[in-house]
């Protein structure tokens, strides 16, 4: 049982407070004083707590990393209780309003906003690495006609490693930077080719005259026009969505990027793994699930019955809840506002009415209030993507494009961090003790 002391004097036995934790091991009666740094204990400090010389030492058990910091990081700050998200100290609201994706990607990667000259050089480099090797294109063409775009995206990212074998030199900063530029530049092209493929359309090559998102729209939409003019409202809205999705500290996909990268594999292979993690319905695949859910509900009048089902444990309210945010996800707020601007151009998504009613009821309902379940980034993003004309199967790809900046920044931070080693958790073994092999004839029959 954990006992707590209510008085500071008692807790410190009259001594001045120290940044330490004293643990008494009741198995042995021994006491240990462990340092507390940044509100954290080092799990390895527990190893000295042993019953005897044979004992392995104390470990922590933390499935799903519920209370474990796996790294020190200076990239993204989240206060989930207050609904705060900042990249390198800058509030997400200011970046969404005043920055653009490429500038934000620079900030995330290099730690500072670029000067005008730095930005121009950065933009030039990205724009001049957007083309794919023709063999990559051919590789993509080999997918089944109805292949899901995210499956193509993940596989193609992995395949890039075979085209850039020098990428294995992960400890060499200039080589790392070259792969970073390539990945940020090429993901929109890979994304667009995967989309065109799933629609049976010819692939459209990049246009270096357009902005990052303008070029993406062109590669997605271009048909027979002699000159393609991207819609400025849609282009800006997608750019804002990209800013919002650029990083989100140690989420499932980023953790995969760091864990895979910790083996010192090339960044293409690591990023393919990160994108695969993002694909799941509890992570980046959630906005697709939101739309499926809204369609299933079908009508505003069915919302209360649906909420009751969720409360009975028959399914989840997709797009609600977050491991970190126990308040309104600040990205969801910005997306809701951006949606209004997009719907002005595209017409209102008929599912919006159902979404608004779900949000209204859920935010008043004791079940959701007591569990601090609020709309997350995925609740409204799917509605915007759908209004822009994208099929749901393309949504995770639209998430992966901007998250590339975050994955790569986190990967560099991990590679350069002297505290990091190959990521390798421990386990509590729950299986049999030693057993001797039994030949098949002696195993009995399975009746
Ligand atoms: N609908 C209904 N109940 C929920 C939901 C939900 N969306 N999310 C959590 N709960 C309930 C759980 O049933 C649990 O209730 P209990 O205490 O009575 O058992 C409680 O809230 C805590 O839930 P956990 O699953 O323990 O929370 P966790 O932090 O593990 O899960 C997650 C976070 C996966 C995001 C969860 O909220 C969820 O499944 N949401 C729906 C999927 C979704 O929108 N994912 C996108 C997240 S954002 C992103 O990845 C980009």
């Amino acid at each position: 049982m954990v006992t707590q002391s209510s008085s500071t004097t008692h807790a410190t036995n009259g001594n001045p407070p120290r940044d330490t934790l004293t643990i008494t091991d009741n198995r042995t009666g021994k006491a240990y004083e462990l340092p507390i740094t940044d509100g954290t204990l080092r799990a390895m400090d527990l190893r000295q707590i042993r019953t005897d010389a044979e004992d392995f030492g104390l470990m922590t058990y933390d499935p799903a990393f519920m209370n474990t910091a796996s790294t020190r990081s200076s990239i993204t700050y989240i206060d989930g209780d207050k609904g705060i998200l900042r990249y390198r100290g800058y509030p997400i609201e200011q970046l969404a309003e005043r920055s653009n994706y490429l500038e934000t990607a620079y900030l995330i990667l290099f730690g500072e906003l670029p000067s005008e000259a730095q930005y121009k050089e950065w933009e030039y480099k990205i724009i001049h690495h957007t083309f794919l090797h023709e063999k990559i294109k051919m590789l993509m063409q080999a997918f089944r006609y109805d292949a899901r775009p995210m499956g193509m995206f993940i596989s193609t990212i992995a395949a890039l490693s075979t085209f850039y074998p020098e990428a294995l030199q992960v400890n060499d900063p200039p080589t790392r930077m070259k792969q970073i530029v390539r990945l940020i530049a090429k993901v929109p092209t890979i994304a667009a080719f995967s989309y065109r493929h799933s629609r049976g359309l010819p692939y459209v090559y990049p246009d270096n005259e357009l902005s990052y998102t303008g070029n993406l729209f062109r590669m997605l939409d271009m048909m027979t026009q002699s000159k393609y003019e991207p819609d400025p409202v849609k282009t800006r809205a997608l750019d804002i969505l990209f800013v919002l999705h650029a990083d989100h500290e140690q989420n499932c996909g980023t953790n995969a990027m760091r864990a895979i990268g910790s083996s010192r594999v090339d960044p293409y292979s690591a990023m393919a793994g990160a994108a695969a993690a993002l694909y799941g319905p509890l992570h980046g695949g959630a906005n697709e699930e939101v739309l499926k859910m809204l369609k299933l509900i079908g009508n505003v009048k069915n919302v209360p019955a649906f909420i009751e089902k969720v409360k009975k444990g028959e399914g989840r309210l997709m797009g609600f809840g977050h491991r970190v945010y126990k308040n309104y996800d600040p990205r969801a707020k910005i997306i809701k506002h951006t949606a209004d601007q997009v719907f002005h151009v595209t017409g209102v998504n008929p599912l919006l009415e159902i979404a608004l009613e779900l949000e209204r009821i859920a935010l008043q309902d004791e079940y959701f209030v007591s569990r601090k379940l609020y709309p997350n980034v995925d609740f409204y993003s799917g509605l915007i993507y759908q209004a822009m004309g994208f099929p749901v199967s393309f949504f995770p790809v639209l998430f992966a494009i901007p998250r590339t900046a975050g994955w790569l920044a986190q990967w560099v931070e991990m590679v350069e961090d002297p505290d990091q080693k190959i990521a390798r958790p421990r386990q509590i073994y729950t299986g049999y003790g030693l057993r001797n092999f039994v030949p098949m004839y002696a195993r009995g029959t399975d009746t």
Side-chain angles (χ1 to χ4, degrees):
M1 194 178 83
V2 176
T3 50
Q4 284 183 342
S5 160
S6 54
S7 112
T8 312
T9 316
H10 176 75
T12 58
N13 287 331
N15 297 321
R18 290 194 298 274
D19 282 337
T20 60
L21 179 76
T22 301
I23 297 176
T24 305
D25 184 348
N26 293 321
R27 300 171 301 176
T28 60
K30 281 192 196 158
Y32 303 81
E33 187 171 352
L34 308 182
I36 298 175
T37 311
D38 297 327
T40 316
L41 285 181
R42 280 210 169 234
M44 280 303 285
D45 284 346
L46 296 174
R47 195 67 81 68
Q48 61 184 299
I49 304 178
R50 302 192 289 177
T51 48
D52 54 45
E54 296 290 295
D55 186 3
F56 181 76
L58 210 58
M59 294 194 297
T60 55
Y61 175 57
D62 189 11
F65 301 115
M66 293 290 287
N67 195 34
T68 294
S70 63
T71 187
R72 303 171 70 85
S73 180
S74 61
I75 301 171
T76 292
Y77 173 78
I78 300 177
D79 183 330
D81 291 327
K82 296 195 183 119
I84 292 175
L85 169 61
R86 294 179 200 141
Y87 299 153
R88 303 284 188 185
Y90 293 100
I92 193 67
E93 294 80 5
Q94 291 181 23
L95 292 169
E97 194 186 328
R98 301 174 61 184
S99 183
N100 63 33
Y101 173 66
L102 275 191
E103 187 183 48
T104 299
Y106 184 101
L107 169 70
I108 286 173
L109 280 156
F110 300 104
E112 296 295 338
L113 287 166
S115 66
E116 196 177 347
Q118 286 168 328
Y119 179 76
K120 280 200 174 129
E121 190 193 339
W122 171 241
E123 188 184 44
Y124 182 90
K125 272 196 205 155
I126 299 295
I127 284 176
H128 288 84
H129 285 86
T130 49
F131 271 69
L132 299 180
H133 193 290
E134 280 296 289
K135 294 281 184 204
I136 284 280
K137 188 185 87 178
M138 287 161 73
L139 191 127
M140 294 187 77
Q141 282 168 332
F143 277 93
R144 241 179 84 127
Y145 68 95
D146 59 351
R148 284 170 68 87
M150 190 62 173
M152 287 181 70
F153 181 88
I154 293 167
S155 311
T156 309
I157 296 293
L160 287 180
S161 72
T162 65
F163 284 74
Y164 308 113
E166 77 275 17
L168 269 173
Q169 294 163 33
V170 297
N171 292 323
D172 179 48
T175 309
R176 274 203 309 258
M177 190 42 61
K178 184 102 196 180
Q179 317 318 314
I180 288 171
V181 168
R182 280 184 177 136
L183 270 165
I184 292 179
K186 290 182 200 312
V187 284
T189 317
I190 296 170
F193 284 11
S194 71
Y195 173 82
R196 304 279 296 194
H197 186 92
S198 65
R199 315 209 110 195
L201 295 168
Y203 301 175
V204 175
Y205 290 132
D207 179 346
N208 293 356
E209 298 296 309
L210 295 172
S211 69
Y212 194 78
T213 42
N215 173 49
L216 176 60
F217 267 117
R218 181 180 170 278
M219 290 191 290
L220 294 168
D221 287 347
M222 176 91 171
M223 294 303 277
T224 55
Q225 306 91 318
S226 54
K227 182 144 178 57
Y228 180 90
E229 300 283 354
D231 179 277
V233 175
K234 282 165 49 178
T235 305
R236 176 68 189 135
L238 193 60
D239 202 68
I240 292 173
L241 286 164
F242 280 7
V243 169
L244 301 182
H245 285 88
D247 192 52
H248 211 233
E249 49 117 307
Q250 307 311 314
N251 56 83
C252 179
T254 302
N255 183 55
M257 181 84 194
R258 280 176 171 266
I260 299 169
S262 75
S263 73
R264 294 299 187 263
V265 74
D266 67 88
Y268 301 102
S269 303
M271 199 178 118
L278 183 72
Y279 198 7
L282 296 186
H283 191 10
N287 52 12
E288 177 173 351
E289 298 302 314
V290 171
L291 283 195
K292 278 193 207 153
M293 174 188 77
L294 295 176
K295 270 195 200 138
L296 186 78
I297 296 171
N299 194 298
V300 174
K301 69 177 181 353
N302 300 331
V303 168
F306 183 81
I307 295 265
E308 285 313 308
K309 271 188 166 180
V310 169
K311 285 162 63 178
K312 277 193 230 145
E314 298 170 23
R316 289 202 158 189
L317 180 47
M318 298 311 286
F320 259 67
H322 200 276
R323 172 62 57 79
V324 178
Y325 292 117
K326 301 302 168 199
N327 201 324
Y328 212 103
D329 182 336
R331 300 168 300 172
K333 255 186 217 155
I334 301 168
I335 291 182
K336 203 172 166 187
H337 176 66
T338 309
D340 289 339
Q341 292 161 357
V342 173
F343 295 155
H344 199 66
V345 177
T346 60
V348 173
N349 188 325
L351 297 175
L352 177 69
E353 209 189 341
I354 301 173
L356 288 170
E357 183 64 359
L358 266 179
E359 182 187 328
R360 190 186 68 77
I361 297 188
L363 291 184
Q364 293 171 5
D365 192 292
E366 209 278 322
Y367 176 95
F368 296 91
V369 174
S370 64
R371 287 169 179 78
K372 299 190 174 164
L373 299 171
Y374 292 88
N376 60 47
V377 69
D378 289 313
F379 194 64
Y380 288 106
S381 64
L383 290 173
I384 302 188
Y385 291 146
Q386 197 177 53
M388 285 177 174
F390 298 124
V392 285
S393 60
F394 193 58
F395 293 179
V397 182
L398 286 167
F399 195 152
I401 297 171
R403 185 51 61 85
T404 301
W407 285 330
L408 292 168
Q410 301 268 353
W411 169 70
V412 171
E413 195 175 57
M414 181 274 303
V415 171
E416 290 182 345
D417 183 349
D419 269 0
Q420 293 293 338
K421 290 171 183 282
I422 186 164
R424 205 303 187 182
R426 295 278 173 177
Q427 65 163 11
I428 302 170
Y429 176 68
T430 60
Y432 288 106
L434 177 67
R435 300 201 285 175
N436 287 321
F437 182 79
V438 180
M440 198 175 282
Y441 65 81
R443 288 178 207 163
T445 48
D446 188 15
T447 49

